[in-house]
Amino acid sequence: MELISLPKTANFTELLQTQPVVLLQIGSARCAPCAAIRHRIDAWGQAQTGVAGYYVPIEDFPALAAQLGVLTVPTILVYAQGKLTIRESGCFSLDDLLCRVERYRDLCIE
């Protein structure tokens, strides 16, 4: 899995149905931590299956960010079987978050 940029024409509801687990990183081009997190998620994702990952530039998707209640970047949202299961913003442990993503993926795939 590699974070791909969310297409501007994407239907968010349908997007959540693409994989058992969907990870969204909401970030900004002007945010250095966002770039670092994206790089780490891409490296982690090389060995992952069953997780779809999308990068959502907040500048391009202000309405979606507002709908999701995102007020700051970086923000990570993880959906398992279409339901929000993990939400982290600002300063958080990416290692702990990725471990939780793996657990949800294992539960959803079994």
Side-chain angles (χ1 to χ4, degrees):
M1 176 209 76
E2 181 176 324
L3 288 179
I4 60 171
S5 293
L6 185 68
K8 292 197 183 229
T9 59
N11 180 314
F12 186 67
T13 305
E14 290 177 11
L15 175 86
L16 296 180
Q17 307 306 318
T18 62
Q19 291 284 333
V21 177
V22 176
L23 182 148
L24 299 177
Q25 179 192 353
I26 301 170
S28 172
R30 296 181 296 261
C31 170
C34 296
I37 288 170
R38 184 174 185 179
H39 178 71
R40 292 244 345 256
I41 291 173
D42 284 344
W44 167 83
Q46 296 298 320
Q48 304 302 315
T49 59
V51 178
Y54 296 93
Y55 180 77
V56 182
I58 198 164
E59 300 90 354
D60 296 341
F61 294 92
L64 179 60
Q67 174 188 346
L68 298 173
V70 174
L71 302 175
T72 187
V73 292
T75 294
I76 304 287
L77 304 174
V78 179
Y79 292 82
Q81 296 179 336
K83 298 194 185 300
L84 181 63
T85 56
I86 301 172
R87 178 187 196 96
E88 295 288 348
S89 294
C91 184
F92 55 90
S93 170
L94 186 57
D95 291 332
D96 289 345
L97 181 140
L98 295 175
C99 284
R100 289 188 285 160
V101 171
E102 290 174 13
R103 284 192 298 249
Y104 277 111
R105 183 213 46 217
D106 293 345
L107 287 170
C108 291
I109 291 178
E110 289 182 349

